[in-house]
Amino acid sequence: MKMWIVFLLCLAGHAMAAPTEEVPILEELVTEEPVVEEPEVGANPVQIEIGEFDEAIEIVEEEEEEDVLTENPCQNHHCKKGKVCEVDESNLPMCVCQDASSCPAAEGEFEHVCGTDNKTFDTSCHFFATKCALEGTKKGHKLHLDYIGPCKYIEPCMDSELSEFPLRMRDWLKNVLVTLYERDEDNDLLNEKQKLRVKKIFENEKRLQAGEHSLDLLAHDFEKNYNMYIFPVHWQFGQLDQHPVDGYLTHTELSPLRAPLIPMEHCTSRFFEQCDADNDKYIALEEWATCFGIKEQDVDNDLIV
């Protein structure tokens, strides 16, 4: 378990250790929303660096009409994860699936990833190359990156355990924001509006300090200091809702947050599946807030700043 926490700290810029459990884990495969996967989620200290682990997405650059073609047509032509640029017979760049055998070998087990097909891939490069090769097939349509690390048995999430998950997540999100505020200075980790909101939490003498706390204490603190948790929940939604910014979270947008949590929190996927109350494969802000215990009257789009 300590190894996972250290690993996440490295990936997340040492922002915070993820909420953890002691029991080894596994969960059901994640169902996929029937939508086109979107671009990489922006940097978020709560989640992993998505450059390697987010779902593959197309990146298209608009070229000015007067742009002069470079000597190498592929130089400024970007392809989604799992594809590489090649030049066609007309010397025009095109994206083709990468050969998985061309991916660099894994330097360690920490580079392994598990797909929703319960298959372990040596690296994320191997995963996306495989996914690309399956494009247009039913198997490829259902294949997503599930979590970081080799596939393993994850215990089913019981109802009683599911109710505990948001207690740890809320406290974690609050303390991540406080940590960012303390370290921000000139690092632009938070914008000015975010700093003002987090400052109120940071300076509140009633704030529960970061650390290992019992579930009873976390529940009591949420009841007594409810207002401290409203902004962190909204902030995390805004960090994930990036491509496009439309007020909904897809499986792809959730991936950077889910992937590092699943090996340590076996209720992660069931929690996010439950958040989609209407089962439309999208999680709206209202659904997200409800999952974290935020009251309907306190759901506010203006808090996503």
Side-chain angles (χ1 to χ4, degrees):
M1 183 62 61
K2 292 183 178 179
M3 178 183 70
W4 275 111
I5 295 176
V6 173
F7 176 50
L8 280 182
L9 284 173
C10 295
L11 290 175
H14 304 281
M16 276 291 283
T20 60
E21 293 182 337
E22 302 219 351
V23 188
I25 33 194
L26 182 37
E27 45 151 270
E28 297 180 356
L29 302 183
V30 179
T31 56
E32 175 195 20
E33 73 282 2
V35 295
V36 177
E37 293 176 336
E38 297 296 342
E40 299 172 272
V41 179
N44 177 1
V46 180
Q47 64 205 35
I48 59 174
E49 291 290 339
I50 49 70
E52 291 300 323
F53 297 102
D54 196 11
E55 294 291 347
I57 37 77
E58 293 285 357
I59 302 177
V60 181
E61 288 194 349
E62 295 183 1
E63 297 183 354
E64 298 292 338
E65 293 182 2
E66 298 181 0
D67 280 354
V68 179
L69 291 177
T70 59
E71 293 183 5
N72 181 1
C74 283
Q75 182 173 335
N76 295 314
H77 189 80
H78 297 277
C79 299
K80 70 178 182 179
K81 294 289 183 181
K83 290 191 175 185
V84 293
C85 180
E86 292 186 359
V87 178
D88 64 14
E89 296 178 354
S90 301
N91 201 38
L92 296 175
M94 63 178 182
C95 293
V96 298
C97 289
Q98 181 177 4
D99 186 344
S101 64
S102 68
C103 292
E107 296 182 2
E109 188 174 279
F110 67 90
E111 287 195 81
H112 296 342
V113 297
C114 182
T116 50
D117 58 355
N118 205 35
K119 176 183 177 181
T120 297
F121 295 83
D122 284 349
T123 66
S124 61
C125 175
H126 290 85
F127 169 81
F128 287 120
T130 301
K131 182 175 174 63
C132 181
L134 294 172
E135 274 187 353
T137 67
K138 184 176 181 180
K139 183 177 180 180
H141 186 64
K142 291 184 176 181
L143 180 61
H144 284 287
L145 187 151
D146 202 9
Y147 53 86
I148 301 172
C151 297
K152 57 184 178 181
Y153 176 72
I154 297 179
E155 292 184 353
C157 175
M158 301 294 101
D159 292 343
S160 59
E161 297 173 311
L162 184 62
S163 64
E164 300 170 356
F165 183 85
L167 294 176
R168 292 188 294 270
M169 279 295 296
R170 282 191 306 247
D171 185 61
W172 183 44
L173 292 175
K174 180 197 65 179
N175 288 312
V176 164
L177 275 174
V178 170
T179 300
L180 291 178
Y181 177 81
E182 292 175 317
R183 298 178 179 178
D184 193 86
E185 294 187 5
D186 299 321
N187 296 320
D188 296 323
L189 301 175
L190 300 170
N191 62 41
E192 292 305 316
K193 289 184 178 180
Q194 291 170 340
K195 289 178 184 177
L196 288 175
R197 294 187 182 281
V198 181
K199 181 180 181 181
K200 295 179 181 179
I201 300 174
F202 175 74
E203 295 180 345
N204 195 317
E205 296 179 356
K206 296 180 180 180
R207 173 170 60 89
L208 184 65
Q209 300 296 316
E212 294 293 330
H213 302 298
S214 68
L215 295 174
D216 287 341
L217 179 57
L218 292 176
H220 176 76
D221 188 65
F222 180 64
E223 180 181 350
K224 295 297 182 181
N225 300 308
Y226 167 77
N227 288 332
M228 291 190 199
Y229 294 91
I230 297 175
F231 178 65
V233 170
H234 282 75
W235 171 77
Q236 178 63 93
F237 185 91
Q239 292 295 298
L240 296 171
D241 181 26
Q242 294 290 324
H243 301 286
V245 179
D246 58 2
Y248 296 92
L249 299 181
T250 64
H251 180 281
T252 299
E253 288 175 312
L254 280 171
S255 180
L257 180 61
R258 289 177 65 261
L261 286 178
I262 290 177
M264 297 178 294
E265 286 275 3
H266 68 286
C267 285
T268 299
S269 283
R270 187 180 171 191
F271 173 77
F272 289 130
E273 288 169 4
Q274 178 182 274
C275 285
D276 182 17
D278 57 7
N279 294 313
D280 65 350
K281 308 304 180 183
Y282 295 89
I283 298 177
L285 174 60
E286 293 77 10
E287 293 175 315
W288 175 267
T290 298
C291 275
F292 283 99
I294 303 302
K295 301 173 184 176
E296 183 179 355
Q297 62 267 28
D298 295 319
V299 179
D300 187 356
N301 281 295
D302 292 336
L303 291 181
I304 303 178
V305 293

